Amino acid sequence: YEERMWARQAAALGAVIAEEMGRNADDLACAAVARFIMDIPILAAGRDDPRAAVEELFDLVADGWRSQE
């Protein structure tokens, strides 16, 4: 049940992201970004500074992956 609810919420978020990006509602990249966004609270939990972790992860979503070089 939990996974179905999670998937339904991720699908809804993915569709909104797709609409904002001018893509089809079932766009795979938008679905992947939606799943990642939904995992941000889990990924940030337990960090020394959860708020900074959330901001860092949203920056990753907004700006994409960048090398640390």
Side-chain angles (χ1 to χ4, degrees):
Y1 174 79
E2 180 182 351
E3 177 57 31
R4 284 194 315 260
M5 292 299 292
W6 191 263
R8 186 167 56 184
Q9 297 301 319
L13 180 56
V16 169
I17 293 168
E19 182 179 340
E20 290 291 319
M21 300 295 294
R23 297 182 179 210
N24 292 329
D26 64 347
D27 184 87
L28 183 58
C30 295
V33 168
R35 290 295 292 235
F36 178 75
I37 289 171
M38 290 183 62
D39 278 335
I40 285 176
I42 295 165
L43 294 168
R47 300 289 176 162
D48 290 337
D49 186 350
R51 183 183 186 111
V54 167
E55 290 175 9
E56 180 180 344
L57 292 169
F58 271 107
D59 286 346
L60 176 62
V61 171
D63 300 331
W65 182 265
R66 290 177 284 192
S67 174
Q68 296 297 322
E69 295 178 29

